[in-house]
Amino acid sequence: MIELESVPELIDPVMVAAFEGWNDAGDAASTAVGHLDREWKGEVFAALDAEDYYDFQVNRPTVWLDGGTRKITWPTTRLSVVRVGGEKPRDLVLVRGIEPSMRWRSFCNEILGFAHELGVEMVVILGALLGDTPHTRPVPVSGVTSDADLARTMDLEETRYEGPTGIVGVLQEACTHAGVPAVSLWAAVPHYVSQPPNPKATLALLNRLEDLIGLRIPLGELPEDARAWQLGVDQLASEDSEVAEYVQTLEEARDTAELPEASGEAIAREFERYLRRRDGGPGQGPGGHATESGDVPYLRDPAGGRTRPPKPPRPETGRGKASDDKGTKGPDEAPGDDPGEGSGDTPDQD
C-alpha cells in the first residue's frame, strides 16, 4: 500500500465507487469506474487488506506468471486518484473492488477514513440491477439519497426502500451517519440479456454521473460499443418470436409510463448535455454527444482492425432469469416490488 501522505492535495474531490457482485448487473457499474480510471490514468494509492474482508473460497485468488515467476493476485478493493484539469478542475477518488464477504461495517469505516483524510466532499456509488426494461429504449438511471436536503438541491429521489441490501446500500447509509453527502446512481439492465458486458448501461451511468458532478467525461468508444451491443441484441431477439413479442410488450409499457416526460425537463436535460458536447472533447470526435437510445445501428469497420464487443447470449424467455446472483432484482428494488418481477420503472434504491 502506498502511504496516504504521497497523495497530493486534491481539488474539490468526489469519491466514485462501484463493487462487483450483487449490485453490478451486467458489470455495468464496475466497468464505469474502470473506464474513468483508464481514461484519466488513475494512480492507485491504496488497497484494502484482502485477508480482512474476503472469503477466498468465494472470491478465489488468481495465479499468473511474471517472467517465469509465479505470482498471486488477491481479490481486494483499490483506491486511485485521477486529476481532472480544465476550466473547473475537480479531482476524483475512485474506489473499485468486489463486494466484501464479511465485516461490512469495518470495510465501510475504512473507506470513509480515506474519504475524511482526502477531504472528499461527496460520495457517489454506482450500481446496476436487473429489471423489466427493454433494451431498445434509453437505460433508466435513478439517483437516490438518504439526505432530504441533497435530494432537493440535486434533483434526486429520497430513498424509501425497505428490504435486503448490498454493500452499495450499506456504504451509503454509513456515509449518511458520518455526515458525508452520498448519492447512489442505479442503472436498470434488461433481465433477459443479463450477461456482461453491457456498454449501454455503463454509458448511461457515466452520462448521469457527468450531470451530477459537473465534469465532462471522455467516453472513448463507449457510444460505438453501446450501439453495437444493441444491434447484436436486436438480431438475437428477431430470431425468437416469443422474445420479440415480449420486448414489444415492455416497449409499450415503458412508452406509456414515460409519456409525460416527452417534454419539459427531460428534453432540457438532453439539450444541455448536447451543448456541452457539441464541440467534441478528449477521446471524442466532433459532436461527441453520447446517445443512449441506439436508434441508428452501428457496427465498427472490420477493415479498421477494431472488433465489436462480443454478442450477448441468446435472450431467455424466463422472467427474472440471470446467469448468476449478480445484480438480481431484490437487493435494492422499489418498495413493494416482487423480487422476481422487476418493474422497469425508476427504482427507489437504497
Side-chain angles (χ1 to χ4, degrees), residues 15 48 77 79 95 106-115 171:
M15 178 176 282
L48 305 191
T77 294
L79 291 85
V95 181
S106 297
F107 179 88
C108 292
N109 286 338
E110 193 164 351
I111 296 293
L112 283 170
F114 283 110
L171 179 56

Side-chain angles (χ1 to χ4, degrees), residues 189-217:
V189 172
H191 66 81
Y192 57 88
V193 57
S194 59
Q195 291 279 8
N198 189 318
K200 187 173 181 179
T202 295
L203 178 62
L205 282 170
L206 291 175
N207 277 336
R208 186 71 172 88
L209 177 65
E210 184 178 67
D211 293 340
L212 183 70
I213 64 177
L215 278 182
R216 185 174 179 178
I217 299 173

Side-chain angles (χ1 to χ4, degrees), residues 17-32 125-131 139-142 168 184-190 194 198 201-202 205 325-332 347 349:
F19 303 95
E20 299 174 20
W22 208 47
N23 301 135
D24 193 24
D27 291 352
S30 58
T31 301
I125 315 166
L126 307 183
L129 51 78
L130 300 181
V139 175
V141 177
S142 63
V168 171
S184 296
L185 299 181
W186 289 90
V189 172
S194 59
N198 189 318
T202 295
L205 282 170
D325 68 342
K326 179 183 294 185
T328 48
K329 190 78 169 175
D332 290 295
Q349 298 296 2

Side-chain angles (χ1 to χ4, degrees), residues 119-176:
V120 166
E121 298 182 349
M122 181 171 64
V123 175
V124 182
I125 315 166
L126 307 183
L129 51 78
L130 300 181
D132 286 349
T133 182
H135 72 278
T136 53
R137 297 293 185 265
V139 175
V141 177
S142 63
V144 296
T145 180
S146 299
D147 188 321
D149 293 333
L150 200 62
R152 285 192 298 270
T153 57
M154 303 193 74
D155 190 26
L156 301 167
E157 298 175 40
E158 189 175 356
T159 180
R160 291 286 183 268
Y161 172 72
E162 295 179 291
T165 189
I167 193 61
V168 171
V170 173
L171 179 56
Q172 179 170 337
E173 194 63 17
C175 291
T176 300

Side-chain angles (χ1 to χ4, degrees), residues 6-289:
S6 66
V7 179
E9 185 174 352
L10 303 181
I11 301 173
D12 300 331
V14 173
M15 178 176 282
V16 182
F19 303 95
E20 299 174 20
W22 208 47
N23 301 135
D24 193 24
D27 291 352
S30 58
T31 301
V33 174
H35 176 87
L36 296 175
D37 190 73
R38 183 173 59 255
E39 290 293 324
W40 275 321
K41 298 178 173 58
E43 298 180 6
V44 175
F45 66 88
L48 305 191
D49 190 344
E51 198 81 17
D52 290 339
Y53 305 114
Y54 294 100
D55 179 348
F56 298 136
Q57 291 183 327
V58 176
N59 297 291
R60 292 184 178 274
T62 57
V63 178
W64 56 287
L65 293 176
D66 180 17
T69 302
R70 292 173 64 84
K71 294 186 176 181
I72 295 179
T73 298
W74 297 91
T76 189
T77 294
R78 293 180 173 83
L79 291 85
S80 59
V81 169
V82 297
R83 315 303 304 268
V84 185
E87 295 181 2
K88 296 181 179 179
R90 163 168 256 179
D91 298 331
L92 300 182
V93 179
L94 304 180
V95 181
R96 185 185 181 194
I98 304 170
E99 183 177 62
S101 307
M102 50 201 169
R103 302 184 66 205
W104 283 19
R105 285 176 291 187
S106 297
F107 179 88
C108 292
N109 286 338
E110 193 164 351
I111 296 293
L112 283 170
F114 283 110
H116 175 73
E117 291 295 330
L118 295 170
V120 166
E121 298 182 349
M122 181 171 64
V123 175
V124 182
I125 315 166
L126 307 183
L129 51 78
L130 300 181
D132 286 349
T133 182
H135 72 278
T136 53
R137 297 293 185 265
V139 175
V141 177
S142 63
V144 296
T145 180
S146 299
D147 188 321
D149 293 333
L150 200 62
R152 285 192 298 270
T153 57
M154 303 193 74
D155 190 26
L156 301 167
E157 298 175 40
E158 189 175 356
T159 180
R160 291 286 183 268
Y161 172 72
E162 295 179 291
T165 189
I167 193 61
V168 171
V170 173
L171 179 56
Q172 179 170 337
E173 194 63 17
C175 291
T176 300
H177 285 296
V180 179
V183 176
S184 296
L185 299 181
W186 289 90
V189 172
H191 66 81
Y192 57 88
V193 57
S194 59
Q195 291 279 8
N198 189 318
K200 187 173 181 179
T202 295
L203 178 62
L205 282 170
L206 291 175
N207 277 336
R208 186 71 172 88
L209 177 65
E210 184 178 67
D211 293 340
L212 183 70
I213 64 177
L215 278 182
R216 185 174 179 178
I217 299 173
L219 299 176
E221 298 178 356
L222 263 177
E224 300 174 4
D225 292 343
R227 293 181 184 125
W229 176 87
Q230 179 167 321
L231 181 60
V233 180
D234 286 342
Q235 292 173 339
L236 291 172
S238 66
E239 297 172 3
D240 190 316
S241 60
E242 187 175 352
V243 172
E245 183 179 351
Y246 178 57
V247 171
Q248 184 178 1
T249 301
L250 293 179
E251 291 173 339
E252 293 171 353
R254 173 76 179 275
D255 295 344
T256 300
E258 293 192 348
L259 279 177
E261 297 204 17
S263 60
E265 292 185 5
I267 293 178
R269 283 195 300 268
E270 288 303 310
F271 184 66
E272 288 173 359
R273 186 182 290 123
Y274 163 74
L275 290 178
R276 286 197 301 269
R277 291 191 171 276
R278 62 180 177 177
D279 296 325
Q284 293 177 243
H289 169 52

